[in-house]
Amino acid sequence: MRKMKGCVSLFFTMLKIGLFTFGGGYAMLALLENEFVEKKKWMEKEEFLDVAAIAESTPGPIAINAATYVGYKTARTIGAVIATLGVCIPSFVIIFAISLFFDAFLSLRMVAYAFKGIQICVVYLILTAGLKMLKQMEKTVFNVILLSATLICMLLVSLFAVKFSTIFMILICGACGIVVYLLGKIKKGEKQ
């Protein structure tokens, strides 16, 4: 019975997240952290940062990946299925309903202005999530150098309109992390 209540709570939490967040996974990060870390206490802040990094690095939408992870952590396989369904159902229903009368929907001037307002909110949500993660990031020399190098590279790519996939940036940063880890292991081995 207790497990069932946990699954119901998990489903409705994910349903709420899926229903009330616009702008995709990055915009959802602040809400995900608030629900998972602050309210439900399903994980610690450090673990949430790891979940966000893993969810971003794996194929698929970040919100679905994060929901699946949290669901699995909370109630194993059934939790992963419930959480994934909960976060996906609102988007599916809304998009399906809009698709039935898409042209008429877009021609409404109020809808167009509502979406312009929502765009501003999405930018704010993404910025807030990024700044929150930046504050929580461990301030090691490696992290600061890698963050600075990534920001400079992405700024230069944007300024010079160079086509460079962010996937490569993720892979490069991941490879840098592995190299630093291996160098640390070698260094520890030499001291002993």
Side-chain angles (χ1 to χ4, degrees), residues 7-68:
C7 288
V8 169
S9 172
L10 178 65
F11 178 79
F12 282 109
T13 298
M14 295 304 172
L15 191 71
K16 179 177 79 173
I17 289 169
L19 187 60
F20 292 110
T21 51
F22 294 91
Y26 294 112
M28 288 183 169
L29 282 176
L31 184 59
L32 291 171
E33 181 183 11
N34 185 44
E35 285 292 326
F36 299 165
V37 177
E38 305 297 328
K39 287 185 180 177
K40 303 289 184 186
K41 308 273 190 229
W42 285 337
M43 62 181 57
E44 298 294 320
K45 286 183 180 184
E46 295 78 24
E47 186 178 10
F48 178 78
L49 290 174
D50 292 340
V51 168
I54 291 168
E56 167 55 37
S57 303
T58 52
I62 189 170
I64 294 172
N65 293 344
T68 304

Side-chain angles (χ1 to χ4, degrees), residues 21-31 33 56 62 118-134:
T21 51
F22 294 91
Y26 294 112
M28 288 183 169
L29 282 176
L31 184 59
E33 181 183 11
E56 167 55 37
I62 189 170
I118 289 171
Q119 286 174 351
I120 300 300
C121 184
V122 168
V123 170
Y124 167 76
L125 289 171
I126 293 170
L127 186 61
T128 301
L131 290 174
K132 204 172 219 183
M133 289 177 72
L134 184 64

Side-chain angles (χ1 to χ4, degrees), residues 164-172:
F164 187 78
S165 175
T166 54
I167 293 169
F168 291 125
M169 189 61 72
I170 291 168
L171 292 174
I172 291 167

Side-chain angles (χ1 to χ4, degrees), residues 9-192:
S9 172
L10 178 65
F11 178 79
F12 282 109
T13 298
M14 295 304 172
L15 191 71
K16 179 177 79 173
I17 289 169
L19 187 60
F20 292 110
T21 51
F22 294 91
Y26 294 112
M28 288 183 169
L29 282 176
L31 184 59
L32 291 171
E33 181 183 11
N34 185 44
E35 285 292 326
F36 299 165
V37 177
E38 305 297 328
K39 287 185 180 177
K40 303 289 184 186
K41 308 273 190 229
W42 285 337
M43 62 181 57
E44 298 294 320
K45 286 183 180 184
E46 295 78 24
E47 186 178 10
F48 178 78
L49 290 174
D50 292 340
V51 168
I54 291 168
E56 167 55 37
S57 303
T58 52
I62 189 170
I64 294 172
N65 293 344
T68 304
Y69 176 86
V70 171
Y72 185 80
K73 182 178 187 266
T74 306
R76 297 289 174 219
T77 304
I78 190 72
V81 171
I82 288 170
T84 303
L85 284 173
V87 84
C88 290
I89 286 173
S91 298
F92 176 77
V93 169
I94 291 168
I95 294 299
F96 180 73
I98 289 173
S99 72
L100 295 175
F101 49 94
F102 188 69
D103 291 332
F105 184 74
L106 287 180
S107 66
L108 297 173
R109 181 167 274 169
M110 287 180 62
V111 170
Y113 282 108
F115 277 116
K116 287 182 188 265
I118 289 171
Q119 286 174 351
I120 300 300
C121 184
V122 168
V123 170
Y124 167 76
L125 289 171
I126 293 170
L127 186 61
T128 301
L131 290 174
K132 204 172 219 183
M133 289 177 72
L134 184 64
K135 286 179 187 175
Q136 294 170 357
M137 183 182 77
E138 189 179 344
K139 307 297 188 282
T140 64
V141 173
F142 170 72
N143 287 348
V144 171
I145 290 172
L146 192 60
L147 176 66
S148 301
T150 302
L151 288 174
I152 290 168
C153 286
M154 295 311 284
L155 181 64
L156 292 174
V157 164
S158 295
L159 285 175
F160 294 111
V162 176
K163 289 188 178 187
F164 187 78
S165 175
T166 54
I167 293 169
F168 291 125
M169 189 61 72
I170 291 168
L171 292 174
I172 291 167
C173 290
C176 290
I178 291 170
V179 167
V180 167
Y181 169 76
L182 292 175
L183 290 174
K185 290 286 258 184
I186 291 169
K187 193 174 181 181
K188 282 183 182 178
E190 288 176 359
K191 285 184 178 180
Q192 294 176 353

